[in-house]
């Protein structure tokens, strides 16, 4: 199949999922066309099956906001025609599903039918999409897609609760390429980060308020009072600076390393003992799955789709949002005893296996085929 993939090219989970999906589909013989405003960060290798088409939005002084959706839908029309794309898979409803619908309608006028598969990722539904400013357009584009998938059962339920949905939503969970998380390092260079007796705790995100970054600092502060530990904070976003200031106020700035955006996630996870994800809401928690695949247990909140990934008492523990003391208690239970830690590490790795990319990607292939057969004509 020739598959057009539309996504955000940044470090966010939806872009990572879209990129990894495209790369795996290309290995399975499909021709993949990424159509977005810059080359996706995890897309390193372009080859005969993997292409990247940049959407340009020229600056024009009349526009207060540059019309990205318009440029994207025009580009989709051009690329579908030029490369004979069979199906468009758009990740994150806003504005991708809407732009794809416009492209589909324009192509229809020229006698070309292209099905749209929309994957809902989380904040496009729970935080941004359900805002009254966007709600009607998001519901419309979900209902007009030829197939709709959500990354967890919880997100499907949120979508049905928040919008008037007449379309079927299929749950296709996020996935992981386990081979990329096999520990290839003979030496993770752990010694560069911490002393032998220190446990390493890690958090990776886009540092948005939804991640409850301050909770992470408070949890770590309480842990390091009980056992020697270091905290690795990976990513960029608006909550990073306030977190750095909080570390200073608590006097733990020498125990917390802020990496910023990193291309060495696997290296960081390789020397991590525990991963913290106390988010307010999380449709899936791809970062937690990546940690689990690297054998890192999870201390998380029990919100949204996280319980579908992190299994209570097996791959880690889950607590109510904001229950810092419970998260500290659970973290110490895992970290204080080396044999318990080893058991949770092994369990985390084992649990991650059910999200093996090779098990999940065939679901998308089946969805594309079905969408092509049933392509709604408008
Ligand atoms: O908020 C983020 O973490 C970014 C966002 C995205 O779209 O990039 O993540 C969402 O999609 C990820 C991939 O499906 C999920 O793993 C995250 O749980 C989800 N984030 C939220 O629901 C807050």
């Amino acid at each position: 199949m020739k598959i057009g993939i539309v996504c955000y090219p940044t470090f966010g989970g939806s872009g990572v999922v879209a990129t990894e999906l495209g790369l795996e589909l290309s290995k399975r013989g499909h021709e993949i066309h990424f159509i977005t405003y810059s080359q996706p960060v995890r897309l390193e290798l372009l080859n005969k099956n993997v292409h990247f088409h940049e959407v340009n939005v020229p600056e024009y002084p009349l526009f207060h906001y540059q019309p990205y959706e318009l440029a994207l839908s025009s580009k989709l029309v051009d690329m579908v025609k030029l490369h004979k794309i069979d199906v468009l898979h758009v990740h994150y409803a806003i504005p991708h599903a809407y732009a794809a619908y416009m492209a589909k309608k324009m192509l229809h006028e020229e006698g070309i039918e292209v099905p749209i598969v929309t994957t809902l990722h989380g904040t496009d539904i729970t935080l941004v999409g359900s805002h009254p400013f966007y709600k009607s357009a998001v519901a419309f584009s979900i209902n007009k897609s030829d197939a709709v998938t959500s990354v967890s059962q919880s997100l499907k339920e949120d979508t049905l609760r928040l919008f008037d949905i007449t379309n079927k939503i299929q749950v296709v969970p996020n996935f992981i390429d386990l081979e990329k998380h096999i520990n290839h390092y003979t030496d993770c260079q752990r010694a560069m980060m911490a002393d032998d007796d220190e446990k390493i705790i890690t958090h990776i995100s886009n540092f948005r308020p939804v991640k409850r970054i301050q909770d992470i600092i408070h949890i770590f502060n309480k842990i390091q009072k009980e056992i020697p530990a270091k905290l690795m904070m990976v990513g960029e976003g608006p909550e990073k600076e306030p977190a750095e200031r909080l570390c200073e106020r608590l006097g733990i700035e020498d125990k917390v390393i802020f990496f910023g955006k990193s291309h060495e996630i696997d290296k960081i996870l390789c020397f991590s003992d525990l991963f913290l994800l106390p988010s307010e809401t999380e449709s899936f928690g791809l970062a937690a799955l990546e940690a689990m695949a690297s054998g890192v247990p999870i201390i998380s909140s029990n919100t949204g789709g996280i319980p579908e990934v992190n299994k209570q008492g097996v791959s880690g523990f889950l607590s109510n949002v904001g229950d810092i003391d419970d998260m500290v208690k659970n973290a110490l239970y895992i970290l204080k005893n080396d044999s318990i830690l080893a058991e949770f590490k092994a369990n985390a790795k084992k649990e991650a296996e059910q999200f093996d990319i090779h098990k999940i990607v065939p679901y998308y292939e089946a969805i594309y085929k079905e969408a092509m057969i049933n392509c709604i004509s408008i």
Side-chain angles (χ1 to χ4, degrees):
M1 275 180 269
K2 294 186 177 191
I3 304 158
I5 294 185
V6 179
C7 63
Y8 283 105
T10 53
F11 277 84
S14 61
V16 169
V17 169
T19 309
E20 300 285 354
L21 173 63
L23 293 175
E24 179 60 22
L25 287 165
S26 76
K27 285 188 207 152
R28 295 165 76 92
H30 302 291
E31 188 178 300
I32 305 302
H33 295 266
F34 286 97
I35 306 162
T36 183
Y37 59 79
S38 66
Q39 185 165 325
V41 284
R42 290 228 186 153
L43 184 61
E44 278 148 18
L45 289 176
L46 298 175
N47 58 51
K48 78 173 173 49
N49 271 350
V50 182
H51 308 264
F52 162 59
H53 311 289
E54 187 169 323
V55 181
N56 288 301
V57 190
E59 293 272 322
Y60 187 64
L62 179 67
F63 299 141
H64 184 57
Y65 304 104
Q66 305 304 317
Y68 179 66
E69 292 94 304
L70 217 62
L72 176 60
S73 47
S74 281
K75 188 80 179 182
L76 291 176
V77 168
D78 295 346
M79 293 304 104
V80 168
K81 281 159 63 179
L82 186 63
H83 297 285
K84 313 257 177 311
I85 288 172
D86 298 309
V87 55
L88 285 174
H89 187 177
V90 300
H91 290 260
Y92 209 88
I94 307 171
H96 300 150
Y98 194 76
Y101 172 75
M102 289 314 296
K104 178 184 164 102
K105 212 161 159 56
M106 285 186 266
L107 287 159
H108 175 73
E109 295 291 311
E110 299 188 40
I112 301 167
E113 304 300 339
V114 66
I116 311 294
V117 176
T118 297
T119 290
L120 310 173
H121 276 275
T123 46
D124 47 350
I125 295 300
T126 53
L127 287 183
V128 194
S130 52
H131 191 283
F133 290 172
Y134 300 116
K135 200 169 176 173
S136 309
V138 172
F140 174 83
S141 36
I142 292 173
N143 287 332
K144 288 290 180 185
S145 298
D146 295 271
V148 182
T149 73
S150 79
V151 298
S152 63
Q153 179 62 30
S154 151
L155 181 60
K156 174 178 172 173
E157 285 160 19
D158 283 341
T159 311
L160 296 175
R161 181 172 49 80
L162 293 166
F163 298 89
D164 275 336
I165 298 300
T166 51
N167 216 342
K168 182 171 98 176
I169 301 179
Q170 304 180 61
V171 177
V172 181
N174 285 334
F175 47 79
I176 191 95
D177 188 342
L178 294 166
E179 275 149 41
K180 287 192 185 161
H181 290 266
I182 292 171
N183 198 345
H184 298 292
Y185 303 103
T186 44
D187 171 17
C188 304
Q189 295 174 322
R190 188 185 207 282
M192 270 171 52
M193 296 299 156
D195 297 336
D196 280 356
D197 66 332
E198 285 177 320
K199 293 290 187 276
I200 298 186
I201 300 167
T202 297
H203 171 77
I204 305 172
S205 78
N206 52 17
F207 285 62
R208 305 269 150 201
V210 71
K211 304 292 172 184
R212 295 185 69 99
I213 299 295
Q214 304 257 322
D215 282 10
I216 294 168
I217 305 299
H218 287 299
I219 293 166
F220 173 72
N221 184 36
K222 291 189 174 199
I223 293 174
Q224 63 83 36
K225 285 182 178 160
E226 300 282 329
I227 56 168
K230 285 263 166 66
L231 176 63
M232 312 285 132
M233 296 290 278
V234 187
E236 278 294 341
E239 293 298 306
K240 189 177 157 210
E241 264 183 51
E244 285 177 287
R245 281 199 295 275
L246 178 60
C247 289
E248 238 174 66
R249 272 211 312 281
L250 295 170
I252 53 171
E253 65 273 27
D254 56 331
K255 295 184 178 174
V256 184
I257 299 161
F258 287 87
F259 283 90
K261 287 177 184 166
S262 172
H263 284 284
E264 294 192 303
I265 298 297
D266 49 348
K267 208 174 208 176
I268 295 166
L269 290 174
C270 167
F271 54 62
S272 300
D273 295 304
L274 197 72
F275 190 87
L276 296 181
L277 191 68
S279 305
E280 185 77 35
T281 168
E282 201 72 62
S283 70
F284 184 88
L286 184 67
L289 177 59
E290 291 195 329
M292 284 163 59
S294 291
V296 184
I298 312 297
I299 293 296
S300 69
S301 47
N302 55 13
T303 181
I306 302 180
E308 295 171 49
V309 182
N310 182 23
K311 295 290 148 54
Q312 181 77 309
V314 181
S315 53
F317 288 102
L318 302 96
S319 311
N320 291 335
V321 172
D323 193 343
I324 291 172
D325 287 339
D326 197 52
M327 294 187 200
V328 172
K329 184 189 86 199
N330 292 334
L332 288 171
Y333 173 76
I334 295 177
L335 293 174
K336 269 185 165 174
N337 180 317
D338 280 347
S339 66
I340 293 178
L341 175 60
E343 191 188 320
F344 272 86
K345 283 187 170 196
N347 289 347
K349 218 172 173 52
K350 185 102 200 74
E351 283 296 319
E353 282 170 16
Q354 59 177 301
F355 300 97
D356 182 355
I357 193 167
H358 302 112
K359 289 184 190 157
I360 308 293
V361 170
Y363 289 112
Y364 280 119
E365 287 176 311
I367 288 168
Y368 299 153
K369 277 188 199 140
E370 199 188 324
M372 280 162 65
I373 293 166
N374 301 331
C375 183
I376 307 162
S377 65
I378 11 181

